[in-house]
Amino acid sequence: MKKFNNPIYVTKPLLADLGDINKKLKQIWDAAWLTNNGRQHQSLEEELKKLLKVPYLSLYNNGTIALIAALKCLHLAGEVITTPFTFPATVHSLTLCGLTPVFCDIDQETMNLDANKLEELITSKTSGILGVHVFGSPCDVHKIQTIANHFNLKVIYDAAHAFNLEIDGVGIGTFGDVSMFSFHATKLFHTIEGGALTFNSKVLKEDSDLIKNFGIKNENEVVLPGFNGKMNELQAAIGLVNLEYLADERAKRQQIIDTYKSYLQDVKGIKYYNLSPNIKPSLQYFVIRINAEEFGKTRDQVYQALRDCNVFARKYFFPLCSNYPCYQKYSSASKAKLPVANKVVSEVLSLPLYGDLKISEVEQICDILIGLSKNRS
Ligand code: T4K
């Protein structure tokens, strides 16, 4: 197997031309306005509203703080049903807001909350459902909403992986009460650190803008307890510049994903999830699932073999949130109640995906994988 001379990471941030960034920096310097809803911030909000096809959007300094703000704006209490198969930020946000996470098992194919298992977890203490469009595969938004309406629950989506995702031409950020997007450096669209909330309700947008600015309404009024969740002008400027690269980055990523798929489609024991044609993909991750019996090697063996070749794939999202020591006390975290999630988390591997990745490098990664499948022990 051919080893790479330099490390290939799971992602590499989009690095815009420094000349373009300097032009934006000059505007910021000229305005002498660095944060607190400046011009760059206002422009980015407008641009993203259009791009994501949402009526209201509020920028944040990172996705986690945005999610915490969303939970606060919705005044949730008691229990919130969520997925164990996600980045720590999702479940920790609930805990940090004094809410009790109730873990629901996931769907075998989409790896999202299994909407068929939600109802049995609803109690008199349940106030909301927090779904994650994991790896940019959308949750069953219609079924979740029907259940939420029936039981009078709020719906929040962690759309950290779902930038630009659309279902039948409808922006993913319009489903549920609030959606959170992450603009971290590792995301296709980024502001280095950053995030946003999207809403259908003007009132929620106003509350969000207050909560991220200490609850300050004007110089004479502080109307609610808030914190500092503001995106600054440099972050917003990076975002505006990066938007100009979005179409090109998406095209390159689509080509990389197509290459992975064409090489791996017939490899026994490797599968990947295909989105249905009515979905515009986020192109954020390319995740394979390894069936150890069919492939002849476990996911961990494949992960190690790739590392030995200088390819740093990631086991997102291992370990499962329900298996963290801080969450084991909850009865919903028991492995017996989450059989699908506990199985899926031992199969997944996120392969390198970023616009700068050369097609020849993708082919080399596929050759390594194919070589592993042939060399069965
Ligand atoms: N909800 C979900 C479902 C999420 O996935 C996330 C974040 C959040 C909520 C929270 O949103 P934020 O508060 O972060 O906005 C990374 C990201 O830091 C994290 O944002 C992301 N999800 C998660 C899936 O991936 P790590 O711990 O894997 O990052 P790290 O530092 O290991 O970076 C991954 C690889 O990227 C490195 O191996 C190399 C490369 N890299 C990374 C950085 C930061 C670079 O080449 N350059 C860089 O500057 O979490």
Side-chain angles (χ1 to χ4, degrees):
M1 275 176 298
K2 204 167 149 219
K3 189 175 169 175
F4 285 88
N5 293 330
N6 295 313
I8 302 281
Y9 294 114
V10 70
T11 193
K12 180 179 166 193
L14 188 124
L15 298 169
D17 181 70
L18 273 179
D20 293 345
I21 293 183
N22 275 332
K23 278 187 210 144
K24 282 276 174 211
L25 282 179
K26 172 110 178 37
Q27 288 175 8
I28 297 172
W29 256 234
D30 286 348
W33 196 275
L34 302 185
T35 186
N36 291 9
N37 199 23
R39 277 192 214 139
Q40 309 290 333
H41 182 285
Q42 288 168 19
S43 318
L44 185 62
E45 260 193 16
E46 281 312 307
E47 291 300 321
L48 289 178
K49 239 168 51 176
K50 280 186 255 162
L51 183 72
L52 301 182
K53 300 185 175 174
V54 292
Y56 300 103
L57 182 144
S58 185
L59 291 171
Y60 276 84
N61 50 8
N62 66 62
T64 308
I65 291 295
L67 190 52
I68 290 172
L71 299 169
K72 293 281 181 199
C73 286
L74 292 173
H75 304 292
L76 297 183
E79 298 174 355
V80 174
I81 302 173
T82 194
T83 170
F85 186 62
T86 182
F87 193 65
T90 315
V91 184
H92 288 345
S93 296
L94 292 172
T95 309
L96 291 170
C97 288
L99 298 158
T100 302
V102 174
F103 295 108
C104 177
D105 208 359
I106 59 172
D107 177 83
Q108 166 71 25
E109 294 304 315
T110 65
M111 300 182 270
N112 284 324
L113 272 183
D114 184 345
N116 295 317
K117 294 187 182 145
L118 281 173
E119 281 197 48
E120 63 202 57
L121 297 170
I122 296 172
T123 71
S124 57
K125 294 186 192 144
T126 312
S127 61
I129 299 168
L130 170 53
V132 179
H133 305 300
V134 79
F135 305 135
S137 137
C139 290
D140 190 344
V141 287
H142 300 298
K143 183 150 197 174
I144 290 174
Q145 196 59 56
T146 305
I147 295 169
N149 292 347
H150 185 74
F151 291 94
N152 197 22
L153 305 176
K154 300 288 185 200
V155 179
I156 310 106
Y157 286 112
D158 176 335
H161 306 169
F163 188 78
N164 227 198
L165 194 106
E166 294 175 10
I167 305 177
D168 293 317
V170 178
I172 194 74
T174 61
F175 295 98
D177 294 281
V178 185
S179 293
M180 177 281 281
F181 293 85
S182 164
F183 306 148
H184 183 262
T186 54
K187 302 290 188 285
L188 187 155
F189 167 75
H190 76 84
T191 57
I192 301 184
E193 291 274 2
L197 295 180
T198 60
F199 332 81
N200 297 315
S201 148
K202 187 164 181 257
V203 175
L204 280 178
K205 153 77 175 159
E206 285 166 357
D207 284 354
S208 162
D209 285 348
L210 285 169
I211 212 165
K212 73 175 183 187
N213 188 30
F214 317 100
I216 298 173
K217 189 171 178 190
N218 55 47
E219 284 186 46
N220 302 312
E221 291 173 282
V222 177
V223 293
L224 52 79
F227 45 70
N228 186 351
K230 291 168 282 134
M231 177 180 278
N232 68 48
E233 288 291 272
L234 275 81
Q235 289 174 290
I238 297 280
L240 285 167
V241 175
N242 283 346
L243 278 182
E244 292 166 24
Y245 291 73
L246 186 67
D248 182 54
E249 177 70 13
R250 280 184 60 88
K252 287 178 181 161
R253 284 176 178 235
Q254 186 64 66
Q255 210 193 340
I256 291 167
I257 291 174
D258 291 345
T259 308
Y260 273 131
K261 286 186 174 176
S262 71
Y263 274 79
L264 300 177
Q265 63 185 346
D266 294 325
V267 180
K268 215 166 165 232
I270 290 188
K271 69 170 185 175
Y272 44 80
Y273 183 61
N274 281 314
L275 293 172
S276 50
N278 64 329
I279 292 167
K280 178 180 173 187
S282 67
L283 308 172
Q284 180 61 64
Y285 294 94
F286 183 70
V287 179
I288 55 169
R289 304 252 301 268
I290 293 166
N291 178 321
E293 215 168 287
E294 288 180 11
F295 189 72
K297 291 200 171 46
T298 63
R299 185 277 313 275
D300 288 349
Q301 286 172 318
V302 176
Y303 166 83
Q304 190 54 52
L306 285 170
R307 279 181 86 96
D308 293 344
C309 292
N310 240 343
V311 178
F312 294 83
R314 292 295 287 264
K315 298 183 267 181
Y316 293 137
F317 287 103
F318 179 87
L320 271 191
C321 296
S322 48
N323 293 333
Y324 301 169
C326 53
Y327 296 131
Q328 298 244 280
K329 62 186 173 198
Y330 298 123
S331 70
S332 68
S334 102
K335 286 191 177 167
K337 290 183 179 165
L338 304 167
V340 181
N342 277 281
K343 180 169 175 290
V344 165
V345 81
S346 69
E347 298 176 342
V348 278
L349 202 54
S350 289
L351 298 182
L353 176 60
Y354 49 89
D356 263 4
L357 189 64
K358 296 191 189 79
I359 293 298
S360 60
E361 292 171 326
V362 179
E363 289 169 344
Q364 193 174 328
I365 295 168
C366 291
D367 281 346
I368 297 170
L369 289 167
I370 292 166
L372 287 169
S373 78
K374 284 184 183 151
N375 299 333
R376 297 173 67 127
S377 50

